[in-house]
Amino acid sequence: MKLRGKLCLLLGIMLVNAVQMSTKGQQRKNILFLVVDDLRPDIGCYGDQRAYTPNIDKLAERGVVFRNAYCQQAVCSPSRTSMLTGLRPDETGVHDLQVHFRENLPGAVTLPQHFKGNGYFTASVGKIFHNSKRTLDSVSWTEEISPFDGNTYVLPENRSGKGKQRATEMADVPDTAYSDGKIAEDAIRLLAEAGRTDNPFFIAVGFKKPHAPFCAPKRYWDLYERSAFGVVHRERPVGSPELSFHQWQELRGYSDVPDAGPIPPEQEQELIHGYYACISYVDAQIGRLMDELETLGLSDSTIIVLWGDHGYHLGEQDLWCKSTNFELDVRVPLIIAAPGMAGNGSATDAMVESVDIYPTLNELCGIPMAGLSGISLRPLLAQPSMSWDYPAFSQFVRPYPAIHNSKRASHMGYSVRIPGWRCTYWYDLEKNTVAAKELYRLDNGGDMETENIVGKSARSRKAEKRLSYLLNQYRNGQYRKVQN
């Protein structure tokens, strides 16, 4: 009996350990985090019938597509900093391309750093934090492959001189001739390396396209007819304040783009064609990574996240590039494919934010953390059609040069999005007063602002009253998301 009791006790301990190991294994999924630079939702699974994106569309079939996801500030470093810290721009103090968040928050724990501290192998390749030496964060990674490797241009005429050359390039070369093909190769090596370890992994892969210049191998340009492209809705929204706009300074820095005035229609077509070619080029690299997961037998144990850091203008609303509070700049693609979730293969219209990604992955992997500004999207992964009554906030500085030094900012535009509406208030930072107001009716995902209707009707005044209250809470740091 004593022997039987000992055997039963031993078996019981073994069973408990097995259950704990099983539970731990279910919680501690691997993470493959795909970050795409300047990608707006011009993707097949978002309804864009021109876009050739078979691999991203395949990923969408495995996960949940967030049709209404919004970044916190539509330029690279502030947006990426918010997502990676789980904090909003006013909390990180990062509103430009120069400030490192650790100057303001030396003890902040980033998303990959949190996973690293919980036993994950964390690695990055390509552009994850902003692509400058002063804005990297080595403490976040077990292994970091330099984001500065790879070619922007391959044609000799574009590789002479310093700085920006042509805004587009088409070359009949292999994928690896440009940066993103090399990034994919390095990521494949990291996946194989991580797959041989006992620890779960968090691998972040930062693709640099479709950020300008629009350079991609010829085969991706050949997927499209240039005649299919042209600027649509190029008029500014009626009644919008001048603060809402800029002079396309980012695009005008390229050698073949006019320093002022309109862009010739033929060049507009070329630019948009190049943007789509770059999307398809990145899509192919994502397909390579998904295939490698299958080859390694890791698909069923790996959560894949696809996120664009902000949207983009392609001539609409008298704008090119990003750096506004308009829908085209702040709405981003977000797909989360978490194995076993009931909502996989569906889409949700819920309003969500980039700051929600950090707590979502924490919950999916069983490693919670307090003090984040977003909330977990896991309920939407289980039930995409559920009620979700949260606004989405964005903001931007003016004048435009303040994105290089936010100390030069004279105004901050705070914007809130709820179903059907966008409201933006521009604050004079010196006077602490509202300098301009915007209110737009937006009925469907993918709409853009056409008329500023502040004060135009009883309905608009009622909407503005509600939204201005939210903006005031947000600006004063009083708004907090709370999971229902």
Side-chain angles (χ1 to χ4, degrees):
M1 292 295 293
K2 290 182 179 181
L3 179 59
R4 181 181 296 178
K6 289 181 179 180
L7 286 172
C8 289
L9 179 61
L10 180 60
L11 288 171
I13 293 172
M14 292 173 63
L15 181 61
V16 169
N17 287 342
V19 170
Q20 289 176 340
M21 289 177 65
S22 176
T23 302
K24 182 178 179 181
Q26 290 174 6
Q27 292 177 329
R28 291 167 66 85
K29 297 287 188 183
N30 303 311
I31 306 289
L32 176 60
F33 202 111
L34 307 173
V35 178
V36 187
D37 205 352
D38 285 20
L39 177 64
R40 70 188 205 174
D42 287 347
I43 307 169
C45 59
Y46 277 85
D48 190 317
Q49 298 182 358
R50 290 183 302 186
Y52 184 78
T53 53
N55 297 293
I56 298 177
D57 298 342
K58 181 180 177 182
L59 177 62
E61 294 172 359
R62 295 173 49 179
V64 174
V65 175
F66 291 84
R67 293 196 187 107
N68 291 298
Y70 294 89
C71 70
Q72 272 45 78
Q73 188 173 331
V75 71
C76 295
S77 187
S79 175
R80 290 163 184 260
T81 297
S82 277
M83 185 274 291
L84 289 161
T85 61
L87 303 172
R88 300 182 184 279
D90 283 357
E91 294 172 309
T92 64
V94 177
H95 301 109
D96 62 28
L97 302 178
Q98 303 299 321
V99 173
H100 194 295
F101 66 92
R102 294 206 184 275
E103 296 174 28
N104 304 316
L105 299 172
V109 178
T110 69
L111 171 60
Q113 184 183 3
H114 178 53
F115 275 72
K116 180 182 176 183
N118 281 274
Y120 275 70
F121 169 81
T122 64
S124 75
V125 56
K127 182 178 176 180
I128 304 302
F129 291 90
H130 186 52
N131 202 25
S132 68
K133 292 181 180 179
R134 66 178 297 165
T135 53
L136 302 180
D137 194 59
S138 59
V139 71
S140 293
W141 311 109
T142 311
E143 181 175 347
E144 183 178 26
I145 297 178
S146 172
F148 310 111
D149 291 343
N151 295 322
T152 299
Y153 299 103
V154 299
L155 296 179
E157 57 265 35
N158 288 325
R159 290 176 63 82
S160 59
K162 294 182 179 180
K164 296 179 176 180
Q165 301 301 313
R166 286 180 54 83
T168 64
E169 183 178 275
M170 175 177 63
D172 193 3
V173 293
D175 285 10
T176 51
Y178 290 110
S179 295
D180 284 346
K182 187 176 186 303
I183 287 168
E185 284 207 333
D186 287 337
I188 287 170
R189 179 184 63 77
L190 284 172
L191 285 171
E193 177 184 337
R196 290 191 294 268
T197 69
D198 294 330
N199 293 336
F201 62 76
F202 182 113
I203 295 178
V205 184
F207 293 110
K208 299 182 180 181
K209 300 301 166 192
H211 192 293
F214 306 133
C215 306
K218 180 177 181 296
R219 67 179 65 82
Y220 300 106
W221 291 76
D222 291 344
L223 293 170
Y224 302 95
E225 292 290 337
R226 183 164 299 180
S227 59
F229 299 108
V231 174
V232 296
H233 305 297
R234 67 170 71 244
E235 301 80 12
R236 290 187 176 191
V238 175
S240 296
E242 190 64 32
L243 280 166
S244 301
F245 301 90
H246 53 72
Q247 302 302 314
W248 327 338
Q249 288 94 323
E250 180 183 345
L251 186 64
R252 293 193 189 280
Y254 289 94
S255 63
D256 59 336
V257 177
D259 291 336
I263 296 172
E266 298 81 5
Q267 188 175 26
E268 289 181 334
Q269 282 189 310
E270 180 184 349
L271 291 168
I272 301 171
H273 185 181
Y275 185 82
Y276 272 78
C278 287
I279 291 173
S280 294
Y281 172 46
V282 170
D283 177 83
Q285 310 317 308
I286 289 171
R288 294 174 63 194
L289 300 186
M290 292 170 63
D291 288 346
E292 183 66 14
L293 281 179
E294 291 284 351
T295 300
L296 295 171
L298 296 172
S299 292
D300 292 339
S301 58
T302 302
I303 298 166
I304 304 177
V305 179
L306 172 73
W307 176 71
D309 60 348
H310 46 70
Y312 208 75
H313 273 82
L314 293 169
E316 303 96 343
Q317 300 175 311
D318 191 30
L319 288 161
W320 286 86
C321 305
K322 56 268 189 183
S323 306
T324 77
N325 283 317
F326 287 129
E327 190 81 357
L328 280 173
D329 282 354
V330 295
R331 180 169 170 255
V332 301
L334 174 63
I335 302 171
I336 301 178
M341 297 305 299
N344 286 346
S346 302
T348 177
D349 290 323
M351 297 279 167
V352 304
E353 302 177 281
S354 294
V355 288
D356 297 329
I357 294 173
Y358 193 156
T360 301
L361 294 179
N362 287 351
E363 184 173 4
L364 289 173
C365 296
I367 49 173
M369 178 178 171
L372 302 176
S373 293
I375 57 173
S376 172
L377 304 178
R378 191 182 189 283
L380 289 168
L381 298 176
Q383 188 180 348
S385 62
M386 71 177 291
S387 176
W388 192 263
D389 190 24
Y390 297 100
F393 294 97
S394 303
Q395 60 189 99
F396 215 89
V397 291
R398 285 291 183 265
Y400 182 88
I403 68 170
H404 299 289
N405 182 354
S406 60
K407 293 180 180 178
R408 299 173 61 184
S410 62
H411 292 77
M412 179 71 78
Y414 291 93
S415 190
V416 60
R417 179 77 158 92
I418 64 171
W421 299 93
R422 174 173 296 285
C423 183
T424 303
Y425 276 19
W426 289 93
Y427 286 85
D428 184 310
L429 296 177
E430 182 179 352
K431 297 178 181 178
N432 196 32
T433 57
V434 178
K437 300 179 180 180
E438 301 174 72
L439 180 67
Y440 303 99
R441 186 77 181 134
L442 292 166
D443 292 316
N444 301 304
D447 276 1
M448 68 183 76
E449 301 84 353
T450 57
E451 183 182 4
N452 182 8
I453 58 173
V454 164
K456 289 290 182 79
S457 67
R459 186 186 186 194
S460 67
R461 287 190 290 271
K462 181 179 179 180
E464 184 188 351
K465 182 178 179 180
R466 175 189 174 191
L467 293 170
S468 64
Y469 173 76
L470 290 172
L471 285 176
N472 188 58
Q473 276 196 315
Y474 178 73
R475 180 172 180 261
N476 291 310
Q478 297 167 341
Y479 178 81
R480 291 289 181 273
K481 276 188 171 182
V482 180
Q483 199 86 50
N484 292 331

